[in-house]
Amino acid sequence: MSNTIAVLGSINVDTTYHVERFPQPGETLSARDKSSAPGGKGCNQSVACARSGAKTYFIGMVGADNEGKFMREAMQEDHIDTSHIGIDELHGTGTALVTLDANGQNDIMVYGGANQAMTTDVLKNCGPVFDDIDILIAQFETPQAVTLAAFKEAKKHNVVTILNPAPAHKIIPELLQYTDLIAPNESESALITGIEINDEAGMKKTAEYFKKEGIDNLLITLGSRGVFYSTASGQGLVPAFKVKAVDTTAAGDTFIGAFASQLKTDLSNVVEALTFGQRASSLAVQKMGAAPSIPSYDEVKAALAEK
């Protein structure tokens, strides 16, 4: 049975330019195509949670504009509770400009807008949410001060907190004290800790670093190599599924949301949940777009059943 999850985070409208290769500095290239779709790390993760079967709430902000209306309606189509998405009258809805090359790799420029203007006021009236949820997920496309306040409240309700520190920033030390599980990718991990993830020794050293900071549970996503995990019950590497990627946008977000949807709150099934998340991510990268590429629970289970 899936969890009940709240995602605190960013909401963006993604505009993707499809190119053969990335431009050099000062160079102008023609795009083969252009498309727009729902995105933002928070939104993507909530969609992955919902499509993986979790009852899902979203806590965030959009602007008083057409993009904000579009995003709320898109999330509601995935049965995400959007009643705690506030309206910012002064800042526009977040947007992202994605450049996607022929190999499925991307680079992304983000305008934070209402996401970055968010304050702790967004948490008002969220008491019933914290009463209902098993897990709270947050990222770094919204202010850390809001995440800290939300994690503090979550711990009062015995909610498991998952921090996806992306994009990597210096972390408010107090935030780590309220984080049950931290899930960076390998480059984010290195930026935060100063420890390069070149081998298993580096991964274990990183786990010790976070334990000293008060976090006993760590995931490091390693792209095609899989995911390293370290919990109270053990450490290990869950391999990735080998597929041909056409668009890696939202691959990590799909993994986080799908993983969280299946994770028991005592983390006793971490390998099983990681495998589910990895399979969901492998399906997402075979389709175009951020939220549109995220698979359903049935699609993931069918793919897992394949030999």
Side-chain angles (χ1 to χ4, degrees):
M1 185 173 178
S2 296
N3 291 310
T4 298
I5 299 174
V7 178
L8 167 67
S10 56
I11 297 173
N12 293 330
V13 177
D14 288 351
T15 299
T16 301
Y17 285 83
H18 303 255
V19 297
E20 285 298 318
R21 59 176 176 82
F22 296 122
Q24 298 297 313
E27 181 182 17
T28 299
L29 291 180
S30 295
R32 292 182 286 105
D33 198 5
K34 173 187 173 183
S35 57
S36 294
K41 296 192 71 63
C43 172
N44 296 338
Q45 291 176 14
S46 70
V47 170
C49 290
R51 291 185 187 171
S52 295
K55 179 182 177 181
T56 307
Y57 296 92
F58 196 89
I59 303 170
M61 296 290 293
V62 293
D65 47 31
N66 289 332
E67 288 84 357
K69 182 175 183 289
F70 165 74
M71 289 300 298
R72 292 195 307 277
E73 291 176 349
M75 295 168 76
Q76 288 162 8
E77 288 178 5
D78 275 300
H79 308 291
I80 296 167
D81 187 317
T82 62
S83 59
H84 297 280
I85 296 177
I87 308 298
D88 188 328
E89 300 288 345
L90 301 177
H91 301 88
T93 300
T95 56
L97 176 61
V98 182
T99 306
L100 178 68
D101 74 6
N103 296 316
Q105 297 300 310
N106 63 59
D107 61 20
I108 305 172
M109 291 180 288
V110 177
Y111 162 68
N115 296 315
Q116 283 298 316
M118 189 189 303
T119 70
T120 55
D121 285 348
V122 76
L123 301 175
K124 291 180 178 178
N125 305 316
C126 284
V129 174
F130 289 108
D131 283 334
D132 192 35
I133 61 176
D134 303 299
I135 293 174
L136 173 64
I137 305 172
Q139 329 77 37
F140 279 172
E141 287 185 339
T142 50
Q144 286 189 48
V146 181
T147 301
L148 174 58
F151 275 25
K152 283 183 174 181
E153 186 63 26
K155 298 319 296 176
K156 294 177 184 177
H157 296 257
N158 297 313
V159 171
V160 173
T161 53
I162 298 178
L163 179 63
N164 174 218
H169 296 296
K170 184 176 180 180
I171 304 176
I172 298 172
E174 191 180 6
L175 178 57
L176 299 178
Q177 299 172 27
Y178 293 90
T179 299
D180 292 312
L181 185 151
I182 191 165
N185 65 26
E186 54 191 319
S187 60
E188 292 156 356
S189 178
L191 283 169
I192 292 166
T193 68
I195 302 168
E196 293 298 326
I197 309 297
N198 297 320
D199 52 25
E200 187 177 357
M203 299 174 202
K204 290 182 176 180
K205 189 176 179 181
T206 300
E208 289 302 316
Y209 172 95
F210 282 114
K211 283 182 180 178
K212 290 177 181 177
E213 297 295 328
I215 303 177
D216 291 330
N217 305 296
L218 166 70
L219 306 180
I220 306 175
T221 53
L222 306 166
S224 61
R225 289 187 288 162
V227 181
F228 170 79
Y229 71 92
S230 178
T231 69
S233 59
Q235 296 178 329
L237 183 68
V238 177
F241 291 87
K242 305 301 181 184
V243 298
K244 179 175 175 55
V246 297
D247 184 0
T248 57
T249 309
D253 297 330
T254 299
F255 164 76
I256 292 288
F259 161 77
S261 76
Q262 306 302 307
L263 183 67
K264 293 182 179 179
T265 54
D266 63 0
L267 276 65
S268 60
N269 69 331
V270 65
V271 173
E272 179 183 350
L274 286 171
T275 302
F276 186 93
Q278 287 277 75
R279 198 63 177 114
S281 182
S282 76
L283 295 175
V285 300
Q286 296 179 70
K287 295 180 180 180
M288 300 299 297
S293 72
I294 298 171
S296 69
Y297 175 86
D298 289 342
E299 288 173 321
V300 179
K301 292 298 285 187
L304 285 169
E306 294 175 359
K307 300 296 184 183

Short mmCIF file of all heavy atoms in Angstrom, two decimals, residues 13 52 57 84 97 105 122 168 172 191 215 240 242 278-279 291-292 306:
data_model
loop_
_atom_site.label_atom_id
_atom_site.label_comp_id
_atom_site.label_asym_id
_atom_site.label_seq_id
_atom_site.Cartn_x
_atom_site.Cartn_y
_atom_site.Cartn_z
N VAL A 13 6.55 26.21 -15.23
CA VAL A 13 6.17 25.85 -16.59
C VAL A 13 7.48 25.69 -17.37
O VAL A 13 8.26 26.63 -17.47
CB VAL A 13 5.27 26.91 -17.25
CG1 VAL A 13 4.98 26.52 -18.69
CG2 VAL A 13 3.97 27.07 -16.47
N SER A 52 2.36 6.99 -8.82
CA SER A 52 2.81 5.73 -8.21
C SER A 52 1.84 5.23 -7.15
O SER A 52 2.11 4.24 -6.47
CB SER A 52 4.20 5.91 -7.59
OG SER A 52 5.17 6.18 -8.59
N TYR A 57 -0.43 15.57 -1.44
CA TYR A 57 -0.71 16.99 -1.25
C TYR A 57 0.46 17.80 -1.81
O TYR A 57 1.60 17.34 -1.79
CB TYR A 57 -0.80 17.33 0.24
CG TYR A 57 -1.93 16.70 1.01
CD1 TYR A 57 -1.74 15.48 1.66
CD2 TYR A 57 -3.16 17.34 1.13
CE1 TYR A 57 -2.76 14.91 2.40
CE2 TYR A 57 -4.18 16.77 1.88
CZ TYR A 57 -3.97 15.56 2.51
OH TYR A 57 -4.98 15.00 3.26
N HIS A 84 -3.42 23.77 -0.99
CA HIS A 84 -2.41 24.51 -0.23
C HIS A 84 -1.36 25.14 -1.14
O HIS A 84 -0.23 25.39 -0.71
CB HIS A 84 -1.78 23.59 0.81
CG HIS A 84 -2.76 23.10 1.83
ND1 HIS A 84 -3.17 23.86 2.90
CD2 HIS A 84 -3.47 21.95 1.91
CE1 HIS A 84 -4.06 23.20 3.61
NE2 HIS A 84 -4.26 22.03 3.02
N LEU A 97 13.68 27.20 -18.67
CA LEU A 97 14.05 27.07 -20.07
C LEU A 97 15.01 25.89 -20.18
O LEU A 97 16.10 25.91 -19.61
CB LEU A 97 14.72 28.35 -20.57
CG LEU A 97 15.25 28.31 -22.01
CD1 LEU A 97 14.10 28.06 -22.98
CD2 LEU A 97 15.96 29.61 -22.35
N GLN A 105 20.50 14.66 -23.40
CA GLN A 105 21.04 15.43 -22.28
C GLN A 105 20.45 16.84 -22.29
O GLN A 105 20.07 17.35 -23.35
CB GLN A 105 22.57 15.48 -22.35
CG GLN A 105 23.22 14.12 -22.22
CD GLN A 105 22.88 13.43 -20.91
OE1 GLN A 105 23.01 14.02 -19.85
NE2 GLN A 105 22.42 12.18 -20.99
N VAL A 122 2.92 30.19 3.77
CA VAL A 122 2.33 29.13 2.96
C VAL A 122 1.94 27.93 3.81
O VAL A 122 1.10 27.11 3.41
CB VAL A 122 3.31 28.70 1.83
CG1 VAL A 122 4.44 27.82 2.38
CG2 VAL A 122 2.58 27.96 0.71
N ALA A 168 22.13 22.14 -5.55
CA ALA A 168 22.95 22.15 -4.33
C ALA A 168 23.23 23.57 -3.87
O ALA A 168 23.62 24.43 -4.65
CB ALA A 168 24.27 21.42 -4.57
N ILE A 172 21.28 25.18 5.62
CA ILE A 172 21.11 25.68 6.98
C ILE A 172 21.37 24.52 7.93
O ILE A 172 20.68 23.49 7.86
CB ILE A 172 19.67 26.21 7.19
CG1 ILE A 172 19.37 27.39 6.26
CG2 ILE A 172 19.46 26.62 8.65
CD1 ILE A 172 17.92 27.84 6.30
N LEU A 191 29.42 18.76 -3.90
CA LEU A 191 29.39 20.20 -3.64
C LEU A 191 29.07 20.49 -2.18
O LEU A 191 29.63 21.41 -1.58
CB LEU A 191 28.36 20.88 -4.55
CG LEU A 191 28.76 21.09 -6.01
CD1 LEU A 191 27.56 21.52 -6.83
CD2 LEU A 191 29.87 22.14 -6.11
N ILE A 215 22.10 13.10 10.23
CA ILE A 215 21.24 12.37 9.30
C ILE A 215 21.76 10.95 9.16
O ILE A 215 22.86 10.72 8.64
CB ILE A 215 21.19 13.05 7.92
CG1 ILE A 215 20.72 14.50 8.04
CG2 ILE A 215 20.25 12.28 6.99
CD1 ILE A 215 20.73 15.25 6.73
N ALA A 240 21.22 0.58 -11.76
CA ALA A 240 20.24 1.22 -12.63
C ALA A 240 19.78 0.24 -13.72
O ALA A 240 20.45 -0.76 -14.00
CB ALA A 240 20.84 2.46 -13.28
N LYS A 242 19.25 -0.45 -17.60
CA LYS A 242 19.92 0.02 -18.82
C LYS A 242 18.89 0.30 -19.91
O LYS A 242 18.20 -0.60 -20.39
CB LYS A 242 20.93 -1.01 -19.31
CG LYS A 242 21.97 -1.41 -18.26
CD LYS A 242 22.78 -0.22 -17.76
CE LYS A 242 23.83 -0.64 -16.75
NZ LYS A 242 24.56 0.53 -16.18
N GLN A 278 13.99 3.36 -9.32
CA GLN A 278 14.91 3.26 -10.45
C GLN A 278 14.18 2.86 -11.73
O GLN A 278 14.47 3.37 -12.82
CB GLN A 278 15.99 2.21 -10.14
CG GLN A 278 17.00 2.67 -9.13
CD GLN A 278 18.10 3.51 -9.78
OE1 GLN A 278 17.89 4.67 -10.13
NE2 GLN A 278 19.26 2.93 -9.93
N ARG A 279 13.24 1.93 -11.59
CA ARG A 279 12.50 1.48 -12.79
C ARG A 279 11.62 2.61 -13.31
O ARG A 279 11.53 2.82 -14.53
CB ARG A 279 11.63 0.26 -12.46
CG ARG A 279 11.20 -0.49 -13.73
CD ARG A 279 12.42 -1.03 -14.43
NE ARG A 279 12.14 -1.84 -15.61
CZ ARG A 279 12.48 -1.49 -16.85
NH1 ARG A 279 13.07 -0.33 -17.10
NH2 ARG A 279 12.27 -2.30 -17.86
N ALA A 291 7.01 16.40 -16.43
CA ALA A 291 5.84 15.69 -15.90
C ALA A 291 5.19 14.74 -16.92
O ALA A 291 4.76 13.65 -16.53
CB ALA A 291 4.83 16.70 -15.36
N PRO A 292 5.11 15.10 -18.20
CA PRO A 292 4.46 14.18 -19.15
C PRO A 292 5.15 12.82 -19.27
O PRO A 292 4.52 11.85 -19.68
CB PRO A 292 4.53 14.95 -20.48
CG PRO A 292 4.56 16.38 -20.09
CD PRO A 292 5.42 16.40 -18.84
N GLU A 306 8.99 -7.62 -16.36
CA GLU A 306 9.65 -8.07 -17.58
C GLU A 306 10.96 -8.77 -17.26
O GLU A 306 11.68 -8.36 -16.37
CB GLU A 306 9.93 -6.88 -18.51
CG GLU A 306 8.67 -6.21 -19.05
CD GLU A 306 9.00 -4.97 -19.87
OE1 GLU A 306 10.19 -4.64 -19.97
OE2 GLU A 306 8.06 -4.34 -20.38
#
